[in-house]
Amino acid sequence: MNFTGAAAIAGVMGWPVGHSRSPAIHNYWLRKFGIDGVYIPFAVRPERTREAIHALPSLGIRGTNVTLPHKEAAFESVDETDSVAARVKAVNTVTVREDGSLYGQNTDAFGFLEALKEGCPGWRSDDGPAVILGAGGAARALAAGLQDAGVPDIRVANRTSARAQALAGEFGPPVRAVRWTEREDALAGSALLVNATSLGMRGKDDLEVRLDALPAAAVVCDIVYTPLRTGLLRNAESRGNRTVDGLGMLLHQARPGFAAWFGRDPSPDQALRDLLATGLKTEPS
Ligand code: NAP
């Protein structure tokens, strides 16, 4: 890696941060474009999030991604957010603006929609209802993205139904809560099913959902990326549904930060996909 004293600096804050794939993604693009820049993992203790984020302008750092457990504290620490972060109440991308103020984005919705359009070019937001399994941070971002995209009916099912109800209450129609026990019935007539729970991850229980009611034309996405080919995707493929795995979202969610800090909007190429996919096969979740 080559960078000079004039290098543009960005990074990712997490605790722990060693599992983050963001340095591999951003430093790949920095090398590819020959940018004088560097992207660093910052191990920031949870009680120091605000202090670390507020130090960015003084250090001349252009911005950072923010991963667990800092996303909510980052939301509280920035001066302004985009509309997705405002609804999710979590920020995963912080940019230092010219005047030194801090702008927070949640790029998961963008990443998911870009990956969906790339994986299923024919998908349209008005194809029909979407079913989201989960009501955690990722699910909230997906609900915001699908709401903004104009999906007419967004059905959210979560094990803890109070969280799904809270999400639906905060977001408003077309987002609505469905009981976890009724998640299979909710698939009837839908055009999109997304797993945004942590079920199906390596080391976790499998996601149990019978797909009998799901139309053959529906697209099935799993944002879990360890492993990339989850049981849900295998089941969906075996009955002829088109599928999208979690790698595209992981790559595309990184683009807005890279563009803001380093001045180029990169498109994930096959070499980067291969690099990440190889790592994800072997790394623990
Ligand atoms: P989170 O906020 O911790 O939410 C976890 C979700 O999983 C909650 O809805 C939780 O339900 C549900 N869940 C956990 N254990 C369950 C079980 N045994 N049965 C039923 N539901 C269960 O996590 P997150 O940040 O939203 O992330 C969720 C998943 O998305 C993770 O696998 C993460 O790696 C993945 N993700 C991928 C990307 C990408 O770029 N591809 C980006 C972000 C996240 P309760 O509310 O009932 O606990």
Side-chain angles (χ1 to χ4, degrees):
M1 191 176 306
N2 290 318
F3 57 93
T4 71
I9 303 170
V12 55
M13 291 185 188
W15 185 265
V17 75
H19 67 284
S20 173
R21 280 83 184 180
S22 295
I25 296 170
H26 287 268
N27 285 314
Y28 173 90
W29 284 329
L30 287 172
R31 281 193 299 272
K32 177 175 172 176
F33 296 126
I35 292 171
D36 185 14
V38 62
Y39 185 98
I40 302 165
F42 297 112
V44 175
R45 290 183 176 278
E47 65 274 18
R48 308 297 282 271
T49 317
R50 188 178 180 84
E51 187 184 342
I53 289 176
H54 282 205
L56 295 173
S58 304
L59 291 167
I61 294 173
R62 298 203 174 176
T64 64
N65 287 120
V66 181
T67 187
L68 300 176
H70 300 310
K71 294 182 187 183
E72 288 78 17
F75 173 73
E76 299 294 339
S77 302
V78 296
D79 298 302
E80 195 187 332
T81 70
D82 68 6
S83 72
V84 176
R87 271 170 289 168
V88 180
K89 297 190 172 61
V91 154
N92 71 353
T93 304
V94 177
T95 298
V96 179
R97 294 192 287 205
E98 290 279 311
D99 64 359
S101 64
L102 297 165
Y103 181 59
Q105 292 168 273
N106 188 310
T107 65
D108 278 342
F110 169 82
F112 172 72
L113 286 167
E114 287 294 295
L116 176 56
K117 287 184 239 166
E118 183 179 68
C120 288
W123 178 83
R124 288 167 45 109
S125 60
D126 58 3
D127 281 346
V131 177
I132 299 175
L133 302 180
R140 289 175 72 89
L142 301 190
L146 293 172
Q147 186 174 32
D148 289 348
V151 172
D153 179 8
I154 302 170
R155 306 163 180 172
V156 179
N158 193 52
R159 173 182 62 176
T160 308
S161 64
R163 281 183 99 187
Q165 281 163 4
L167 193 166
E170 286 169 44
F171 283 45
V175 181
R176 62 190 176 99
V178 171
R179 287 181 196 283
W180 183 246
T181 48
E182 290 166 13
R183 62 193 181 281
E184 291 162 353
D185 298 334
L187 300 178
S190 66
L192 179 67
L193 165 63
V194 193
N195 175 37
T197 73
S198 44
L199 291 171
M201 280 174 74
R202 200 172 288 143
K204 305 256 180 183
D205 291 342
D206 288 336
L207 170 66
E208 287 178 22
V209 59
R210 287 172 60 89
L211 302 180
D212 301 0
L214 187 72
V219 177
V220 178
C221 305
D222 201 329
I223 68 164
V224 164
Y225 50 77
T226 50
L228 280 176
R229 234 172 102 71
T230 60
L232 171 66
L233 296 186
R234 284 201 305 274
N235 287 347
E237 280 162 18
S238 71
R239 62 193 296 284
N241 292 98
R242 289 173 298 162
T243 62
V244 179
D245 67 32
L247 181 59
M249 177 176 169
L250 182 64
L251 293 169
H252 284 286
Q253 60 79 31
R255 283 173 43 202
F258 192 90
W261 310 322
F262 301 117
R264 296 281 292 262
D265 181 8
S267 62
D269 61 21
Q270 193 56 45
L272 179 57
R273 286 172 201 278
D274 293 345
L275 180 76
L276 266 279
T278 303
L280 293 172
K281 263 185 210 151
T282 52
E283 286 173 38
S285 57

PDB file of all heavy atoms in Angstrom, residues 173-195:
ATOM      1  N   PRO A 173     -47.556   3.413   7.484  1.00  0.00           N
ATOM      2  CA  PRO A 173     -47.851   2.640   6.272  1.00  0.00           C
ATOM      3  C   PRO A 173     -46.891   3.030   5.144  1.00  0.00           C
ATOM      4  O   PRO A 173     -46.501   4.205   5.079  1.00  0.00           O
ATOM      5  CB  PRO A 173     -49.287   3.047   5.928  1.00  0.00           C
ATOM      6  CG  PRO A 173     -49.842   3.590   7.221  1.00  0.00           C
ATOM      7  CD  PRO A 173     -48.696   4.179   7.954  1.00  0.00           C
ATOM      8  N   PRO A 174     -46.521   2.095   4.294  1.00  0.00           N
ATOM      9  CA  PRO A 174     -47.058   0.744   4.128  1.00  0.00           C
ATOM     10  C   PRO A 174     -46.369  -0.314   4.994  1.00  0.00           C
ATOM     11  O   PRO A 174     -46.564  -1.506   4.744  1.00  0.00           O
ATOM     12  CB  PRO A 174     -46.781   0.467   2.644  1.00  0.00           C
ATOM     13  CG  PRO A 174     -45.480   1.171   2.394  1.00  0.00           C
ATOM     14  CD  PRO A 174     -45.526   2.415   3.249  1.00  0.00           C
ATOM     15  N   VAL A 175     -45.579   0.127   6.004  1.00  0.00           N
ATOM     16  CA  VAL A 175     -44.906  -0.857   6.855  1.00  0.00           C
ATOM     17  C   VAL A 175     -45.901  -1.342   7.907  1.00  0.00           C
ATOM     18  O   VAL A 175     -46.545  -0.516   8.570  1.00  0.00           O
ATOM     19  CB  VAL A 175     -43.667  -0.236   7.544  1.00  0.00           C
ATOM     20  CG1 VAL A 175     -42.968  -1.281   8.405  1.00  0.00           C
ATOM     21  CG2 VAL A 175     -42.701   0.338   6.511  1.00  0.00           C
ATOM     22  N   ARG A 176     -46.049  -2.652   8.037  1.00  0.00           N
ATOM     23  CA  ARG A 176     -46.951  -3.181   9.073  1.00  0.00           C
ATOM     24  C   ARG A 176     -46.355  -4.420   9.705  1.00  0.00           C
ATOM     25  O   ARG A 176     -45.549  -5.125   9.070  1.00  0.00           O
ATOM     26  CB  ARG A 176     -48.342  -3.444   8.505  1.00  0.00           C
ATOM     27  CG  ARG A 176     -48.405  -4.467   7.401  1.00  0.00           C
ATOM     28  CD  ARG A 176     -49.800  -4.443   6.775  1.00  0.00           C
ATOM     29  NE  ARG A 176     -49.898  -5.344   5.630  1.00  0.00           N
ATOM     30  CZ  ARG A 176     -50.425  -6.562   5.699  1.00  0.00           C
ATOM     31  NH1 ARG A 176     -50.855  -7.043   6.845  1.00  0.00           N
ATOM     32  NH2 ARG A 176     -50.503  -7.304   4.612  1.00  0.00           N
ATOM     33  N   ALA A 177     -46.743  -4.664  10.924  1.00  0.00           N
ATOM     34  CA  ALA A 177     -46.204  -5.802  11.671  1.00  0.00           C
ATOM     35  C   ALA A 177     -47.061  -7.039  11.440  1.00  0.00           C
ATOM     36  O   ALA A 177     -48.278  -6.950  11.329  1.00  0.00           O
ATOM     37  CB  ALA A 177     -46.169  -5.466  13.152  1.00  0.00           C
ATOM     38  N   VAL A 178     -46.358  -8.188  11.350  1.00  0.00           N
ATOM     39  CA  VAL A 178     -47.016  -9.486  11.197  1.00  0.00           C
ATOM     40  C   VAL A 178     -46.462 -10.365  12.318  1.00  0.00           C
ATOM     41  O   VAL A 178     -45.271 -10.266  12.632  1.00  0.00           O
ATOM     42  CB  VAL A 178     -46.643 -10.100   9.819  1.00  0.00           C
ATOM     43  CG1 VAL A 178     -47.126 -11.525   9.696  1.00  0.00           C
ATOM     44  CG2 VAL A 178     -47.165  -9.244   8.680  1.00  0.00           C
ATOM     45  N   ARG A 179     -47.287 -11.193  12.886  1.00  0.00           N
ATOM     46  CA  ARG A 179     -46.786 -12.067  13.961  1.00  0.00           C
ATOM     47  C   ARG A 179     -45.746 -13.036  13.423  1.00  0.00           C
ATOM     48  O   ARG A 179     -45.882 -13.537  12.305  1.00  0.00           O
ATOM     49  CB  ARG A 179     -47.935 -12.892  14.562  1.00  0.00           C
ATOM     50  CG  ARG A 179     -48.862 -12.111  15.417  1.00  0.00           C
ATOM     51  CD  ARG A 179     -49.940 -13.038  15.977  1.00  0.00           C
ATOM     52  NE  ARG A 179     -51.037 -12.251  16.492  1.00  0.00           N
ATOM     53  CZ  ARG A 179     -51.015 -11.613  17.656  1.00  0.00           C
ATOM     54  NH1 ARG A 179     -49.951 -11.710  18.428  1.00  0.00           N
ATOM     55  NH2 ARG A 179     -52.029 -10.889  18.047  1.00  0.00           N
ATOM     56  N   TRP A 180     -44.743 -13.330  14.237  1.00  0.00           N
ATOM     57  CA  TRP A 180     -43.682 -14.272  13.838  1.00  0.00           C
ATOM     58  C   TRP A 180     -44.300 -15.627  13.490  1.00  0.00           C
ATOM     59  O   TRP A 180     -43.891 -16.283  12.533  1.00  0.00           O
ATOM     60  CB  TRP A 180     -42.666 -14.402  14.974  1.00  0.00           C
ATOM     61  CG  TRP A 180     -41.484 -15.277  14.697  1.00  0.00           C
ATOM     62  CD1 TRP A 180     -41.192 -16.457  15.321  1.00  0.00           C
ATOM     63  CD2 TRP A 180     -40.429 -15.047  13.750  1.00  0.00           C
ATOM     64  NE1 TRP A 180     -40.017 -16.980  14.812  1.00  0.00           N
ATOM     65  CE2 TRP A 180     -39.531 -16.123  13.849  1.00  0.00           C
ATOM     66  CE3 TRP A 180     -40.176 -14.028  12.808  1.00  0.00           C
ATOM     67  CZ2 TRP A 180     -38.384 -16.229  13.067  1.00  0.00           C
ATOM     68  CZ3 TRP A 180     -39.038 -14.130  12.017  1.00  0.00           C
ATOM     69  CH2 TRP A 180     -38.165 -15.220  12.153  1.00  0.00           C
ATOM     70  N   THR A 181     -45.323 -16.030  14.255  1.00  0.00           N
ATOM     71  CA  THR A 181     -45.972 -17.326  14.008  1.00  0.00           C
ATOM     72  C   THR A 181     -46.755 -17.323  12.692  1.00  0.00           C
ATOM     73  O   THR A 181     -47.140 -18.371  12.198  1.00  0.00           O
ATOM     74  CB  THR A 181     -46.932 -17.671  15.159  1.00  0.00           C
ATOM     75  OG1 THR A 181     -47.745 -16.519  15.407  1.00  0.00           O
ATOM     76  CG2 THR A 181     -46.169 -18.083  16.406  1.00  0.00           C
ATOM     77  N   GLU A 182     -46.990 -16.142  12.141  1.00  0.00           N
ATOM     78  CA  GLU A 182     -47.759 -16.046  10.887  1.00  0.00           C
ATOM     79  C   GLU A 182     -46.872 -15.639   9.719  1.00  0.00           C
ATOM     80  O   GLU A 182     -47.354 -15.211   8.672  1.00  0.00           O
ATOM     81  CB  GLU A 182     -48.914 -15.048  11.063  1.00  0.00           C
ATOM     82  CG  GLU A 182     -49.977 -15.611  11.998  1.00  0.00           C
ATOM     83  CD  GLU A 182     -50.959 -14.554  12.484  1.00  0.00           C
ATOM     84  OE1 GLU A 182     -50.983 -13.446  11.929  1.00  0.00           O
ATOM     85  OE2 GLU A 182     -51.670 -14.862  13.453  1.00  0.00           O
ATOM     86  N   ARG A 183     -45.541 -15.789   9.895  1.00  0.00           N
ATOM     87  CA  ARG A 183     -44.627 -15.338   8.846  1.00  0.00           C
ATOM     88  C   ARG A 183     -44.808 -16.121   7.540  1.00  0.00           C
ATOM     89  O   ARG A 183     -44.617 -15.575   6.460  1.00  0.00           O
ATOM     90  CB  ARG A 183     -43.167 -15.426   9.324  1.00  0.00           C
ATOM     91  CG  ARG A 183     -42.682 -16.831   9.680  1.00  0.00           C
ATOM     92  CD  ARG A 183     -41.351 -16.745  10.426  1.00  0.00           C
ATOM     93  NE  ARG A 183     -40.779 -18.033  10.789  1.00  0.00           N
ATOM     94  CZ  ARG A 183     -41.157 -18.778  11.818  1.00  0.00           C
ATOM     95  NH1 ARG A 183     -42.169 -18.382  12.592  1.00  0.00           N
ATOM     96  NH2 ARG A 183     -40.566 -19.934  12.072  1.00  0.00           N
ATOM     97  N   GLU A 184     -45.189 -17.396   7.647  1.00  0.00           N
ATOM     98  CA  GLU A 184     -45.347 -18.187   6.422  1.00  0.00           C
ATOM     99  C   GLU A 184     -46.605 -17.775   5.661  1.00  0.00           C
ATOM    100  O   GLU A 184     -46.585 -17.675   4.429  1.00  0.00           O
ATOM    101  CB  GLU A 184     -45.349 -19.677   6.767  1.00  0.00           C
ATOM    102  CG  GLU A 184     -43.957 -20.112   7.224  1.00  0.00           C
ATOM    103  CD  GLU A 184     -43.932 -21.425   7.983  1.00  0.00           C
ATOM    104  OE1 GLU A 184     -45.007 -21.965   8.290  1.00  0.00           O
ATOM    105  OE2 GLU A 184     -42.807 -21.902   8.260  1.00  0.00           O
ATOM    106  N   ASP A 185     -47.683 -17.488   6.372  1.00  0.00           N
ATOM    107  CA  ASP A 185     -48.911 -17.010   5.713  1.00  0.00           C
ATOM    108  C   ASP A 185     -48.666 -15.662   5.035  1.00  0.00           C
ATOM    109  O   ASP A 185     -49.253 -15.362   3.991  1.00  0.00           O
ATOM    110  CB  ASP A 185     -50.044 -16.847   6.736  1.00  0.00           C
ATOM    111  CG  ASP A 185     -50.407 -18.177   7.394  1.00  0.00           C
ATOM    112  OD1 ASP A 185     -50.181 -19.219   6.752  1.00  0.00           O
ATOM    113  OD2 ASP A 185     -50.883 -18.156   8.545  1.00  0.00           O
ATOM    114  N   ALA A 186     -47.793 -14.855   5.645  1.00  0.00           N
ATOM    115  CA  ALA A 186     -47.537 -13.502   5.112  1.00  0.00           C
ATOM    116  C   ALA A 186     -46.842 -13.545   3.754  1.00  0.00           C
ATOM    117  O   ALA A 186     -46.797 -12.545   3.037  1.00  0.00           O
ATOM    118  CB  ALA A 186     -46.689 -12.705   6.098  1.00  0.00           C
ATOM    119  N   LEU A 187     -46.306 -14.711   3.394  1.00  0.00           N
ATOM    120  CA  LEU A 187     -45.601 -14.816   2.109  1.00  0.00           C
ATOM    121  C   LEU A 187     -46.571 -14.827   0.926  1.00  0.00           C
ATOM    122  O   LEU A 187     -46.173 -14.552  -0.209  1.00  0.00           O
ATOM    123  CB  LEU A 187     -44.764 -16.098   2.068  1.00  0.00           C
ATOM    124  CG  LEU A 187     -43.685 -16.231   3.151  1.00  0.00           C
ATOM    125  CD1 LEU A 187     -42.965 -17.564   3.022  1.00  0.00           C
ATOM    126  CD2 LEU A 187     -42.691 -15.082   3.029  1.00  0.00           C
ATOM    127  N   ALA A 188     -47.838 -15.144   1.193  1.00  0.00           N
ATOM    128  CA  ALA A 188     -48.815 -15.250   0.099  1.00  0.00           C
ATOM    129  C   ALA A 188     -48.902 -13.931  -0.662  1.00  0.00           C
ATOM    130  O   ALA A 188     -49.065 -12.867  -0.056  1.00  0.00           O
ATOM    131  CB  ALA A 188     -50.182 -15.624   0.662  1.00  0.00           C
ATOM    132  N   GLY A 189     -48.745 -14.010  -1.961  1.00  0.00           N
ATOM    133  CA  GLY A 189     -48.892 -12.828  -2.818  1.00  0.00           C
ATOM    134  C   GLY A 189     -47.715 -11.876  -2.794  1.00  0.00           C
ATOM    135  O   GLY A 189     -47.757 -10.814  -3.422  1.00  0.00           O
ATOM    136  N   SER A 190     -46.641 -12.232  -2.098  1.00  0.00           N
ATOM    137  CA  SER A 190     -45.534 -11.275  -1.988  1.00  0.00           C
ATOM    138  C   SER A 190     -44.566 -11.409  -3.170  1.00  0.00           C
ATOM    139  O   SER A 190     -44.496 -12.443  -3.838  1.00  0.00           O
ATOM    140  CB  SER A 190     -44.800 -11.449  -0.660  1.00  0.00           C
ATOM    141  OG  SER A 190     -44.166 -12.686  -0.620  1.00  0.00           O
ATOM    142  N   ALA A 191     -43.839 -10.326  -3.411  1.00  0.00           N
ATOM    143  CA  ALA A 191     -42.883 -10.299  -4.527  1.00  0.00           C
ATOM    144  C   ALA A 191     -41.449 -10.343  -4.034  1.00  0.00           C
ATOM    145  O   ALA A 191     -40.510 -10.486  -4.824  1.00  0.00           O
ATOM    146  CB  ALA A 191     -43.106  -9.035  -5.355  1.00  0.00           C
ATOM    147  N   LEU A 192     -41.282 -10.206  -2.715  1.00  0.00           N
ATOM    148  CA  LEU A 192     -39.922 -10.131  -2.164  1.00  0.00           C
ATOM    149  C   LEU A 192     -39.939 -10.666  -0.740  1.00  0.00           C
ATOM    150  O   LEU A 192     -40.804 -10.289   0.059  1.00  0.00           O
ATOM    151  CB  LEU A 192     -39.455  -8.668  -2.157  1.00  0.00           C
ATOM    152  CG  LEU A 192     -38.064  -8.373  -1.593  1.00  0.00           C
ATOM    153  CD1 LEU A 192     -36.978  -8.961  -2.490  1.00  0.00           C
ATOM    154  CD2 LEU A 192     -37.865  -6.858  -1.443  1.00  0.00           C
ATOM    155  N   LEU A 193     -38.978 -11.531  -0.442  1.00  0.00           N
ATOM    156  CA  LEU A 193     -38.773 -12.009   0.931  1.00  0.00           C
ATOM    157  C   LEU A 193     -37.322 -11.740   1.294  1.00  0.00           C
ATOM    158  O   LEU A 193     -36.415 -12.087   0.527  1.00  0.00           O
ATOM    159  CB  LEU A 193     -39.050 -13.521   1.015  1.00  0.00           C
ATOM    160  CG  LEU A 193     -38.539 -14.226   2.291  1.00  0.00           C
ATOM    161  CD1 LEU A 193     -39.235 -13.697   3.544  1.00  0.00           C
ATOM    162  CD2 LEU A 193     -38.730 -15.750   2.172  1.00  0.00           C
ATOM    163  N   VAL A 194     -37.113 -11.113   2.448  1.00  0.00           N
ATOM    164  CA  VAL A 194     -35.742 -10.838   2.892  1.00  0.00           C
ATOM    165  C   VAL A 194     -35.553 -11.364   4.308  1.00  0.00           C
ATOM    166  O   VAL A 194     -36.342 -11.029   5.199  1.00  0.00           O
ATOM    167  CB  VAL A 194     -35.434  -9.326   2.948  1.00  0.00           C
ATOM    168  CG1 VAL A 194     -33.936  -9.114   3.101  1.00  0.00           C
ATOM    169  CG2 VAL A 194     -35.960  -8.597   1.754  1.00  0.00           C
ATOM    170  N   ASN A 195     -34.497 -12.131   4.510  1.00  0.00           N
ATOM    171  CA  ASN A 195     -34.112 -12.484   5.867  1.00  0.00           C
ATOM    172  C   ASN A 195     -33.163 -11.428   6.394  1.00  0.00           C
ATOM    173  O   ASN A 195     -32.037 -11.281   5.911  1.00  0.00           O
ATOM    174  CB  ASN A 195     -33.419 -13.843   5.928  1.00  0.00           C
ATOM    175  CG  ASN A 195     -32.917 -14.139   7.338  1.00  0.00           C
ATOM    176  OD1 ASN A 195     -33.577 -13.790   8.324  1.00  0.00           O
ATOM    177  ND2 ASN A 195     -31.743 -14.764   7.439  1.00  0.00           N
TER     178      ASN A 195
END
